[in-house]
Amino acid sequence: MNRNQFDWTYLIFSTEYVFQPFFDFVSHFDSPSDGLMESYGGAGCVDCYREHCRRLLPSVPIAATAPDRRTPSLQMNHGQTAPRRFDFARRSCRLLIAGSFVIGLILVPCAMSAPTKSSKSPSPTPPRPIIATSTPFWHNPCGTLLTYDGSGGGATGGMISSAVGHDIMMMESESESDSAMRREEDIIHGIVVAAGQALTHAEQFTGAFVVETFHVDVKKNHEHWKGITLDWLEMAKYMPKALDVPLSKSYLATLTFRDVLHAVYVGMQNLAVGLEQVAWDQDREMLPYAKYFNETTLKLRTILCEVSMAIYDINETPEPHVSRDIMPMESRISRDNQSLRDWLILREYMTSLQYLIEAFGYLKSKR
């Protein structure tokens, strides 16, 4: 036997002696069956000194064992047959199993004793509140603070309305009455244009919203609910009008430019309170018309900016800002009549836009 063969044999037998208890356990599953030993003529246990081999087959001389032509044998110096390759491979496999077992005994306790990093589960997203808590957009619709200087020159601030911008370029030679007249015409034009654009936008999605929500068209839905109003909006006080019903000539004759500006400013803020809640609910509950109601609030904000700039421009003091408190809490949190509430607010919004177009259109015609 050469040096390498001797080293492998010594390593196998010495390791087998150290892990003898483990081998006894593995041998219960790994021991060759009687059939396997018979197929090798009993030579499989020639060099095996375990109890099961001594019980199954006594030690036999090498000469009495039939030569196995399938597996060539190695000749030792004393003339005996060397362990067959099957035994060598099997013992090598046992050595690998034993080594893995020992490594597992070493590593598992280390892994168990290692400090574990506490994993903090991400905190769940807090539910969105039922009511908006930010500053109402109608408190500062132009996006800049306007100040009244009291000099009759109008409002000052970082933003100028498109309706009154022309006033800056007016000729100094114009008389005071002509200047006021032109200023009012520009104001009216800006408000009417903004209201017309907002009404067109509302009509584009109202039909689909009503059909999907109430399963009838807008006309039938309006006829069914036209007797129901939201008292807190106070539409009859500020903009007395019904949807698609023209204002009477007698009523139009009573209107003045300043009175209409102040009434519209308050009435549109009331609508802003309701539309904000509708858009908030649509967005929070991920309803299909959230985008359109959010765009509606932007359109309304543009109108409020035009009106507020107009009030400052004619050297008037605007009414106090409307609070969110005008909308009852029950109307905000109730889900029983939410669809009807949304329709009534949308209906009054479109009615108010019609009012702006008719009222300011009449005032412009009287110039």
Side-chain angles (χ1 to χ4, degrees):
M1 177 183 293
N2 56 33
R3 177 67 178 177
N4 293 334
Q5 293 173 344
F6 177 78
D7 291 342
W8 273 103
T9 305
Y10 177 77
L11 177 61
I12 293 172
F13 279 98
S14 60
T15 307
E16 186 173 349
Y17 175 77
V18 173
F19 297 105
Q20 183 66 40
F22 176 73
F23 286 151
D24 291 340
F25 173 76
V26 175
S27 65
H28 176 71
F29 303 96
D30 190 45
S31 297
S33 63
D34 293 342
L36 180 60
M37 295 176 67
E38 290 176 0
S39 67
Y40 277 81
C45 283
V46 170
D47 295 309
C48 181
Y49 302 98
R50 297 188 183 179
E51 183 65 21
H52 71 275
C53 290
R54 291 199 296 270
R55 286 199 307 267
L56 295 177
L57 192 64
S59 300
V60 294
I62 301 302
T65 306
D68 190 349
R69 294 186 178 88
R70 291 174 297 179
T71 307
S73 60
L74 298 175
Q75 298 296 325
M76 300 179 66
N77 293 333
H78 48 71
Q80 292 184 338
T81 304
R84 295 183 180 275
R85 292 182 181 178
F86 172 78
D87 295 329
F88 183 83
R90 183 158 52 86
R91 294 182 185 217
S92 299
C93 182
R94 290 177 179 176
L95 176 61
L96 179 61
I97 296 174
S100 301
F101 178 75
V102 173
I103 293 174
L105 291 177
I106 295 173
L107 294 181
V108 171
C110 294
M112 294 176 63
S113 61
T116 58
K117 185 178 180 180
S118 60
S119 59
K120 296 182 179 180
S121 58
S123 57
T125 304
R128 201 171 183 186
I130 297 177
I131 305 173
T133 56
S134 59
T135 302
F137 70 85
W138 57 91
H139 284 192
N140 186 20
C142 295
T144 184
L145 294 178
L146 301 177
T147 57
Y148 172 66
D149 57 14
S151 62
T156 60
M159 182 175 179
I160 300 178
S161 169
S162 60
V164 301
H166 179 73
D167 181 50
I168 300 177
M169 304 174 61
M170 293 179 60
M171 301 296 295
E172 295 180 359
S173 60
E174 290 182 319
S175 63
E176 184 176 350
S177 59
D178 292 339
S179 175
M181 184 76 66
R182 183 181 295 274
R183 186 165 59 246
E184 290 181 4
E185 290 179 357
D186 290 340
I187 291 171
I188 292 173
H189 176 74
I191 294 175
V192 170
V193 170
Q197 293 174 349
L199 182 60
T200 300
H201 171 266
E203 291 173 344
Q204 288 175 348
F205 76 90
T206 298
F209 169 74
V210 170
V211 171
E212 185 172 331
T213 305
F214 300 96
H215 309 290
V216 294
D217 59 26
V218 175
K219 185 177 181 180
K220 292 182 179 179
N221 190 65
H222 174 55
E223 288 294 328
H224 184 75
W225 300 108
K226 68 179 181 179
I228 305 300
T229 60
L230 298 174
D231 295 337
W232 57 271
L233 283 177
E234 297 185 303
M235 292 296 294
K237 177 180 179 180
Y238 297 106
M239 290 177 282
K241 182 180 175 358
L243 183 64
D244 296 330
V245 178
L247 296 173
S248 63
K249 293 183 179 180
S250 59
Y251 173 79
L252 291 172
T254 63
L255 299 179
T256 63
F257 182 68
R258 284 170 170 76
D259 291 341
V260 172
L261 276 180
H262 287 285
V264 165
Y265 185 63
V266 178
M268 297 302 284
Q269 287 190 72
N270 290 356
L271 282 168
V273 175
L275 274 176
E276 179 195 57
Q277 188 63 45
V278 174
W280 184 266
D281 291 339
Q282 288 274 332
D283 187 61
R284 180 171 53 87
E285 299 173 15
M286 294 183 290
L287 298 178
Y289 289 90
K291 170 188 174 182
Y292 301 100
F293 280 104
N294 279 309
E295 291 173 349
T296 298
T297 60
L298 295 178
K299 298 290 185 182
L300 178 55
R301 180 171 185 167
T302 300
I303 296 172
L304 284 171
C305 177
E306 292 285 351
V307 175
S308 62
M309 289 291 291
I311 293 175
Y312 278 105
D313 191 71
I314 63 175
N315 207 15
E316 293 282 326
T317 302
E319 301 292 331
H321 294 309
V322 175
S323 172
R324 287 192 177 105
D325 296 338
I326 66 169
M327 186 176 184
M329 184 59 65
E330 177 63 23
S331 184
R332 293 181 182 274
I333 64 177
S334 177
R335 295 296 175 262
D336 296 336
N337 298 316
Q338 179 174 324
S339 297
L340 177 59
R341 177 206 70 180
D342 295 350
W343 158 247
L344 294 177
I345 293 175
L346 181 59
R347 182 194 69 187
E348 298 305 322
Y349 168 70
M350 292 190 297
T351 303
S352 68
L353 297 177
Q354 292 179 354
Y355 180 89
L356 263 66
I357 295 172
E358 292 183 49
F360 284 106
Y362 171 81
L363 292 173
K364 184 177 181 179
S365 66
K366 290 298 184 181
R367 299 294 168 179

